[in-house]
RNA sequence: GCGGAUGUGGCGAAAUGGUAGACGCGCUACUUUGAGGGGGUAGUGGGAGUUUUCCUGUGCGAGUUCGAGUCUCGCCAUCCGCACCA
């Protein structure tokens, strides 16, 4: 009889047992409380999983299993975010269909995931590239196309309601979110032909097509969303990105900016993540103000946005963004050539260059002048790239005395600077602080800045010069990608009109094409598809971006096989929203914004019952790699050990970490690793070759990738799971360091030893001693609290402490060990199942009952504390029974102390401070 | 520049304002000759002392408190996010 801890056998056995018995298949059950635990589904890349990926999955799996043990009906699904650029790039290079490589990658991911023993309900698996799934992505898009946003009601409404509002009262009948506001009366609306009406409505649709300045990435041949660009480079691939005007599909996310911001407060997310979103949404409160502007004989109203209405008396010029529509109108005939020259210079710059040249002040005078609405002063209108077209109105009033950017501009172009705050010095820099007493400001003189801002806005509103306005930085999401491997738009074009393809024709499936490159004329790959048309009308050739498929996937898991709806009302009302969502921070301003927007849109239409998709969110940290280095003496094939390397001139070379254990290099394996090292020689220290190390990103080129499969081979999935949790706090980034894994593995072997000795099972039915019960209940209390707090590293430590105590007590009692393995089962499910089975249970441990914590059993039954006082005085306090307030006070009197009594309960610890006070700590 | 987080042994890390360093790794000594990642015992922040023990110690500097790794303020350093957002 083999009585060793044979994790390979055990893990394979239970993984197939769970699969056969469909242990984790979840069914809606109104008699039990629900709990929805979700991982951010992975993009199945060609490289497979490394040891960092499962960190969050393990954490969520532990919580899922814990919740099941506590009687919850747990929804814990998994799927794949399977559309995307890398598969398509690979297809372009190799000609392989992205569907094939994606499926291969998914199969590999699945094998890797299965080995770790996750409790996913795979019957609910979804893939965003599956037509049965993307049907509902297309459906949602059509719904957005068919809706407008009512700013007064703060919700999306069907476009038909907008049409009838226009028919009754023209454009002023509603307060709607729109791209370009064009005023018209009901009569004018009635006079529009259908094409014109369509054009007008397009400005209001939540999914709309319109010209906008986009992030164009020439290398990838596609536009990108703001969150897909970082510092002027594409997040995927790191290619330069430039600004370009293009007609693109967009989602009116900006209409939801206020709600996206306000509803953050109620979410159980970290402050840093909420702040990131707040930042990204970028609410600022101020006012719009109209400046009458004169270009020769022409007069225009230029609307500017400012948060500092109080500084309007210090305006010495206006500035337009180069892309602003006013530029053309306000360029005087004699300035035309210079303005054109400046605009072409600006256009040539990539986003990257614009950012890196932040310090260089550039601009050009338009030739026009504006009238300050409060002072009547005439000020010049300039054009400069420091004003952004996409924010506010694309035009600003410049107050150089109190804005550093305006100040730099004024200094460069010799424009006047008027200080407005008493005693401020603007001789070398602007005074930006919102602090001080106003001067040179007419009716605002004498007020503080904080009083002056609302006073100025009130004045502006009362005199019809402008209005209060809240501006958001959040932009509409550009929704077209000039790529093949994404959801097709259910849209076709006929006689210049945009026609939605009816719901009952969905899914509109991706057609086969011969090659995945864009066409010669630069059109998207779908332009190559034969017969890509609907009833004779050409279908849109762009596809949807990556975030389309991931925006509502959590809803589909609730009801993945529903043919008639994204999610049925019953399923939605049962599962509601995600209770716990675990994933990386990298989605803070992408997926997590879009998903919230998408959910709110569906909420407005009554398809989902919760305002927010993800109630609690945890960002797991990254696991970095720990690279190992060997040191080759320059010009030789001799390698010198880390401690001796300073005696030679060496180059540092990454050594594959599979050749290294506890920083010691397996020199023979190293020789076989690469041909060039076959005859390598080594200078050892103490008979060993010690490697250097560094923490770096886990990547193939650093030879520091740890594959979870290898860890499962060597130590087993349970050890991997425990170790990843033991490594440190979940949210923290930390390097993968194989050193400590032996300790965790040893722990599991010792757990096994409590059940088995060399002769077989030693589990017995003897009655537990108080000491054993104390160990157990301390553990129950600690582990329960730690799981609830997601403090998994300390939970694992608690197991080790309990184990040490029970091993010391030679405890093999069922009364202790059965609850212990239930506690352990979320962390190490395979060994727990095996021992549960060994203890005589036929069923799975998955639905056992979480042990009841009895605090009374954890109290010391006999304990005398020696207390030192003033370094000399000593007395003892018997804490054998719980002490109440009276007993404490008695001790205090006896020793002439003063005391502060804290709380009630059992006193386990007394601390005496020399001279004064006894403070009683209650545990 | 703005916002957020973090700073504790040789290492990963613990500590409702209450004996700092639990637990694990590593290391040291002893032990068991079952060394295909063996088992056990003891020790392990630094310094002093033959023993009981003492001093010192959580990035730096103040403050609150009987008491601060923990709370407050100011620095310093590191990491992350945003960044000409008017």
């Amino acid at each position: 009889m083999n009585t060793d801890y044979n994790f390979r056998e055990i893990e394979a056995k239970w993984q197939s047992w769970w699969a056969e018995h469909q242990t984790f298949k979840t069914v809606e059950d109104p008699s039990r409380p629900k709990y929805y635990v979700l991982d951010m589904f992975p993009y199945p890349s060609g490289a497979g999983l490394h040891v960092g990926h499962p960190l969050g999955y393990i954490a969520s799996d532990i919580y899922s299993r814990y919740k099941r043990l506590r009687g919850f009906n747990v929804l814990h699904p998994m799927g794949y975010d399977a559309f995307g650029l890398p598969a398509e790039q690979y297809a372009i290079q190799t000609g392989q269909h992205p569907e094939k490589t994606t499926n291969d990658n998914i199969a590999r991911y699945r094998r890797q995931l299965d080995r770790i023993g996750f409790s996913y309900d795979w019957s609910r698996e979804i893939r965003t590239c599956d037509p049965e799934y993307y049907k509902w992505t297309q459906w949602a898009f059509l719904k957005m196309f068919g809706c407008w946003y009512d700013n007064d009601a703060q919700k999306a409404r069907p476009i038909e309601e907008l049409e009838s509002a226009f028919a009754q009262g023209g454009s002023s009948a509603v307060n709607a979110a729109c791209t370009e506001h064009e005023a018209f009366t009901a009569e004018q609306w009635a006079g529009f032909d259908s094409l014109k009406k369509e054009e007008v409505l397009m400005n209001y649709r939540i999914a709309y097509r319109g010209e906008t300045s986009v992030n164009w990435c020439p290398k990838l041949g596609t536009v990108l969303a703001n969150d897909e660009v970082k510092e002027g480079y594409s997040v995927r691939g790191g290619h330069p990105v430039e600004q370009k005007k293009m007609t693109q599909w967009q989602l009116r996310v900006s209409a939801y900016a206020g709600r996206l911001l306000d509803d953050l407060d109620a979410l159980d997310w970290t402050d840093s993540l909420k702040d990131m979103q707040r930042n990204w949404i970028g609410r600022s409160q101020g006012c719009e103000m109209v400046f009458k502007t004169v270009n020769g004989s022409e007069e225009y109203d230029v609307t500017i946005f400012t948060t500092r209405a109080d500084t309007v008396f210090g305006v010495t010029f206006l500035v337009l963004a180069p892309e602003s529509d006013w530029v053309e109108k306000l360029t005087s005939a004699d300035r035309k050539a210079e303005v054109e020259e400046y605009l072409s210079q600006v256009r040539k710059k990539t986003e990257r260059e614009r950012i890196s040249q932040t310090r260089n002040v550039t601009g050009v005078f338009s030739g026009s002048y504006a009238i300050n609405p409060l002072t009547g002063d005439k000020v010049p209108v300039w054009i400069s790239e420091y004003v952004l077209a996409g924010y506010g109105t694309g035009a600003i009033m410049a107050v150089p005395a109190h804005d550093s950017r305006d100040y730099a501009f004024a200094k460069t172009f010799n424009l006047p600077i008027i200080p407005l705050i008493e005693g401020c010095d603007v001789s070398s820099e602007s005074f930006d602080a919102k602090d001080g007493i106003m001067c040179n400001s007419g009716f605002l003189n004498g007020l503080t800045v904080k009083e002056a801002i609302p006073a100025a806005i009130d004045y502006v509103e009362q005199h019809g010069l402008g209005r209060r306005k809240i501006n958001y930085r959040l932009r509409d999401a550009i929704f077209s990608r000039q790529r093949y491997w994404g959801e097709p738009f259910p849209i076709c074009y006929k006689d210049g009109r945009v026609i939605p393809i009816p719901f009952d024709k969905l899914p509109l499936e991706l057609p086969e094409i011969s090659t995945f490159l864009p066409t010669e004329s630069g059109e998207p790959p779908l332009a190559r598809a034969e017969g890509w048309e609907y009833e004779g009308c050409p279908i849109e050739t762009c596809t949807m971006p990556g975030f389309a498929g991931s925006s509502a996937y959590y809803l589909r898991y609730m009801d993945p096989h529903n043919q008639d709806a994204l999610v049925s009302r019953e399923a939605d009302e049962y599962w509601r929203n995600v209770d716990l969502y675990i994933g990386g921070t990298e989605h803070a301003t992408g997926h997590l914004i879009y998903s919230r927007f998408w959910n709110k849109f569906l909420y407005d239409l009554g398809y989902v019952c919760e305002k927010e998709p993800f109630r609690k969110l945890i960002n797991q940290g990254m696991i970095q790699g720990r690279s190992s280095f060997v040191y080759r003496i320059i010009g030789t094939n001799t390698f010198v050990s880390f401690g001796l390397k300073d005696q030679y001139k060496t180059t540092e070379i990454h050594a594959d970490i599979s050749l290294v254990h506890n920083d010691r290099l397996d020199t023979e394996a190293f020789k076989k690793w690469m041909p060039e090292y076959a005859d390598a020689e080594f200078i050892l220290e103490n008979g060993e070759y010690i490697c250097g190390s560094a923490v770096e990103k886990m990547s193939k080129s650093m030879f520091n990738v740890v594959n979870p499969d290898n860890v499962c081979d060597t130590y087993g999935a349970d050890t991997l799971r425990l170790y990843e949790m033991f490594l440190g706090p979940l949210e923290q980034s930390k390097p993968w360091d194989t050193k400590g894994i032996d300790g965790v593995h040893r722990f599991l072997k010792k757990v096994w030893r409590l059940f088995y000795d060399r002769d077989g099972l030693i589990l017995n039915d003897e009655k537990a001693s108080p000491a054993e019960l104390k160990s157990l209940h301390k553990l129950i209390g600690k582990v329960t609290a730690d799981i609830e707090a997601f403090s998994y590293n300390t939970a694992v430590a608690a197991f080790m402490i309990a184990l040490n105590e029970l091993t010391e007590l030679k405890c093999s009692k069922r009364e202790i060990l059965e609850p212990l393995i239930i506690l352990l089962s979320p962390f190490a499910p395979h060994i727990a199942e095996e021992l549960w089975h060994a203890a005589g249970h036929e069923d799975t441990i998955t639905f056992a009952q979480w042990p009841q914590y009895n605090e009374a059993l954890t109290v010391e039954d006999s304990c005398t504390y020696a207390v030192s006082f003033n370094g000399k005085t000593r007395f003892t306090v018997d804490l054998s029974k719980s002490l109440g307030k009276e007993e404490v006070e008695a001790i205090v009197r006896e020793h002439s102390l003063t005391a502060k009594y804290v709380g009630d309960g059992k006193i386990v610890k007394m601390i005496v401070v020399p001279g004064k006070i006894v403070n009683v700590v209650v545990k």
Side-chain angles (χ1 to χ4, degrees), chain A residues 395-655:
Chain A
I396 63 154
M397 62 178 210
V399 185
H402 302 292
D403 183 288
S404 56
R405 297 152 300 179
D406 299 346
Y407 187 89
F409 195 82
K411 281 281 177 190
T412 308
F413 294 102
N414 261 320
L415 295 157
I417 297 166
I418 308 172
L420 302 169
I421 290 171
E422 282 178 12
C424 70
D425 173 18
V426 293
S427 57
S428 62
E429 58 179 355
S430 61
F431 182 83
D432 291 11
K434 294 183 184 176
D435 193 20
I437 308 289
M438 304 299 297
C439 62
N440 299 334
S441 297
F443 67 93
L444 296 173
N445 282 342
L447 297 177
T448 64
V449 170
K450 286 186 179 71
E451 293 160 349
I453 294 175
I457 298 178
D458 287 344
Y459 182 91
V460 165
E461 285 199 321
Q462 280 156 22
H463 291 76
L465 306 169
R467 61 195 182 97
R468 275 203 161 65
K469 170 92 194 207
I470 292 168
N471 243 326
Y472 295 98
R473 203 186 72 104
L474 185 70
R475 306 276 306 275
D476 287 348
I478 295 163
F479 203 59
S480 307
R481 295 293 180 274
Q482 289 68 34
R483 308 298 302 205
Y484 172 75
W485 193 231
E487 299 86 349
F489 282 83
I491 289 288
C492 63
Y493 299 96
K494 183 181 187 180
D495 307 328
R497 262 170 237 224
V498 176
I499 315 262
I501 293 171
F503 292 123
D504 58 20
K505 296 289 188 295
L506 301 182
L508 175 67
E509 291 197 36
L510 208 50
E512 287 303 316
I513 56 173
S514 49
T515 151
F516 303 97
L517 284 168
T519 66
E520 285 71 19
S521 56
E523 279 187 89
L526 277 185
R528 295 174 181 278
E530 299 276 324
W532 187 232
E533 45 186 50
Y534 175 73
E535 294 183 350
C537 310
I539 303 176
E540 169 69 52
T541 54
C542 288
T543 54
M544 297 186 196
F547 67 81
S550 58
S551 288
Y553 76 112
Y554 60 93
L555 291 170
R556 191 61 180 166
Y557 282 134
M558 297 174 183
D559 196 5
H561 308 297
N562 192 325
Q563 298 286 308
D564 307 313
L566 168 64
V567 53
S568 71
R569 180 161 300 274
E570 304 76 67
D572 181 58
E573 282 178 355
Y574 182 69
W575 296 113
R576 306 194 75 82
N577 57 8
V578 176
D579 294 284
L580 174 67
Y581 196 26
I582 298 189
T585 345
E586 65 271 21
H587 298 108
T589 52
H591 161 63
L592 287 173
I593 293 262
Y594 299 126
S595 236
R596 294 181 61 218
F597 154 75
W598 206 282
N599 186 85
K600 284 179 189 306
F601 171 75
L602 294 175
Y603 172 80
D604 286 352
L605 269 56
Y607 290 111
V608 302
C609 60
E610 289 281 351
K611 280 194 276 195
E612 284 287 337
F614 314 118
R615 203 189 296 267
K616 180 175 176 64
L617 186 140
I618 294 180
N619 292 120
Q620 91 277 19
M622 284 234 283
I623 291 196
Q624 295 135 315
R626 189 171 182 280
S627 310
S628 284
F629 299 107
V630 292
Y631 302 90
R632 177 157 64 182
I633 299 171
I634 287 174
T636 70
N637 208 7
T638 301
F639 294 83
V640 57
S641 184
F642 179 77
L644 307 171
K645 75 178 166 67
D646 293 339
Q647 300 167 22
Y648 305 86
K649 280 202 155 176
T650 58
T651 39
E652 195 177 69
I653 297 171
H654 277 97

Side-chain angles (χ1 to χ4, degrees), chain A residues 770-786 795 798-799 801-802 805 823 852-860 923:
Chain A
E772 290 162 343
L773 284 169
K774 187 184 157 197
S775 281
L776 175 65
H777 282 268
K778 259 179 16 196
L779 182 67
I780 297 171
K782 180 75 175 145
V783 167
T784 308
D786 282 349
F799 279 113
I801 295 167
E805 290 169 359
L823 296 174
Q852 192 72 40
Y853 175 49
N854 184 348
E855 194 186 356
L857 295 174
T858 67
V859 176
E860 311 280 338
K923 213 176 198 172

Side-chain angles (χ1 to χ4, degrees), chain A residues 860-867 875-880:
Chain A
E860 311 280 338
D861 46 12
S862 168
C863 169
T864 304
Y865 273 66
V867 182
F875 58 89
T876 57
V877 181
D878 182 8
L879 298 176
S880 61

